[in-house]
Amino acid sequence: SNWPDLNFDLITGPKYGQDPDMNNPTAPWSRTLTGDQLNLVAKLCDIICPADDGGPSATDVGVPEVIDEWVSAPYERQSRDRLTIMSALSWIDDEAKLRFAKLFVALSTKQQLEIIDDIAYQTHDLPPPFRQISNAFATFRKLVVAAFFCSPEGTKDLGYIGNTPIIGDYPGPTEEAMVHLHKVLDDLGLSIPEPLLSL
């Protein structure tokens, strides 16, 4: 395996603190990915969440910037993910050079997918040289998917209707929801107390 032996100093600096300014969503720390790393992140993001008839790509909704902010954050979890993701980015470019004598972003789509197909699936028969990168790529993929589906376009793609104001009084659950609730409670041998039914 050509897994890189990277090491980073702990990122220190300002954090959100106990009372973050919710009107200013900008992180109080500097971002640390280089332009080349951001280009690689963008290419990988769009392989994971490409544009299609249903909506935009991960890059279109700013996922690479979210990844940059995440790996630049001065927190313990993000520091662990920084080492994992930076090592994965290095591995992917090294693997591209080993196989095709070019950086990953310079490869054809077919060549890029040949590498990604080798690391994207954590199967029981995955060859040992690909196990560490496969785990690292899974971490990266989770961050990409989470960032994409937290965007307005991603929540729309999911059909998520939460965080939407209701004008007027809350109408309460639908009849269909109440039928479902009563069935689940009946299956569990439970019921809604009478005082709550009249609310």
Side-chain angles (χ1 to χ4, degrees), residues 1 3 8 16-17 22 24 40-41 79-80 87 93 98 104 129 194 199:
S1 173
W3 188 253
F8 296 101
Y16 282 117
M22 301 307 282
N24 181 14
L40 177 53
V41 165
S79 292
R80 285 194 312 271
S87 296
D93 264 342
L98 282 170
F104 187 84
E194 283 301 321
L199 292 179

Side-chain angles (χ1 to χ4, degrees), residues 176-199:
E176 179 185 15
M178 290 304 294
V179 167
H180 174 73
L181 174 62
H182 286 294
K183 180 180 181 332
V184 170
L185 291 174
D186 286 344
D187 290 347
L188 295 171
L190 302 171
S191 63
I192 299 175
E194 283 301 321
L196 292 178
L197 285 172
S198 62
L199 292 179

